[in-house]
Each structure stands twice: as C-alpha cells, then as structure tokens.
C-alpha cells in the first residue's frame, strides 16, 4: 500500500535508530534512510528540518516532523501513526 514518504535520518550504530527502524519495518512501511555519519551537510539538513533537533533518529512523514524514536513509539502507542502516514504528505 502506498503511503506518505517517510525519511529517517540516522546513524547505523544508534540503538534508538535501530528501534525506530524496527517499528517501521514491522509495520511494513517503506522509508528512506539518510545516514548522517560523517556527512555534515546531511546532518545540517536534518537539524534544519527537525527545527533544531540534533539527536538521531529524526523521522519525517512527508513534511511533517514526527520526532525521534520516543515520539515515533508514542504515536504508535496512541494509535495515531497509521493515520499520519496514510494521510496526504
Ligand atoms: N529521545 C531520543 C534519544 C535519541 C538519542 O539520544 N540519540 C543519540 C544516539 S543513540 C544521539 O543522537 N546522541 C547525540 C547527542 O545527544 O548529541 C529519541 O527517542 O530519539
């Protein structure tokens, strides 16, 4: 099923990133991985899109900033994630 494009900025060594990716995978969602390791330009892009957020992961559904791992888990626990990713970008 198609859904709003999801971007996840991460570092592969980060346990919060692993947890967030695991949830996206479990839900069968497609997502684009943006590895900021050693990439200052990509990191700066992430911080700008995340309105100053400097920790990884930072997760987006279309233009909407979902937050980090904790926020993603909270959206899922509240039953809100499906509606967000299946609404227009
Ligand atoms: N509450 C955040 C925690 C994320 C976090 O602490 N990530 C670590 C890497 S595992 C990080 O980016 N640390 C760098 C820093 O704090 O500047 C979340 O759920 O995403």
């Amino acid at each position: 099923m198609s859904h709003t494009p999801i971007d996840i900025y991460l570092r592969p060594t980060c346990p919060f990133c692993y947890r967030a990716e695991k949830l996206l995978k479990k839900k069968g969602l497609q997502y684009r991985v943006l590895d900021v390791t050693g990439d200052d330009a990509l990191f700066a892009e992430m911080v700008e899109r995340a309105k100053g957020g400097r920790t990884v992961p930072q997760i987006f559904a279309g233009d909407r900033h979902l937050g980090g791992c904790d926020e993603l888990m909270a959206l899922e626990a509240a039953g809100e994630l499906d509606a967000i990713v299946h609404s227009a970008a």
Side-chain angles (χ1 to χ4, degrees), residues 12-13 16 19 26 42 51 73:
T13 54
F16 291 95
R19 284 181 60 211
K26 188 181 108 186
L42 194 61
K51 308 275 186 286
M73 297 296 161

Side-chain angles (χ1 to χ4, degrees), residues 37-48:
T37 311
D39 189 333
D40 292 348
L42 194 61
F43 183 79
E45 176 189 294
M46 178 192 88
V47 174
E48 188 180 338

Side-chain angles (χ1 to χ4, degrees), residues 32-64:
R32 182 168 67 138
V33 170
L34 298 148
D35 183 355
V36 301
T37 311
D39 189 333
D40 292 348
L42 194 61
F43 183 79
E45 176 189 294
M46 178 192 88
V47 174
E48 188 180 338
R49 286 185 74 189
K51 308 275 186 286
R54 301 180 68 83
T55 57
V56 284
Q58 295 293 338
I59 305 149
F60 299 83
D63 288 337
R64 179 170 173 164

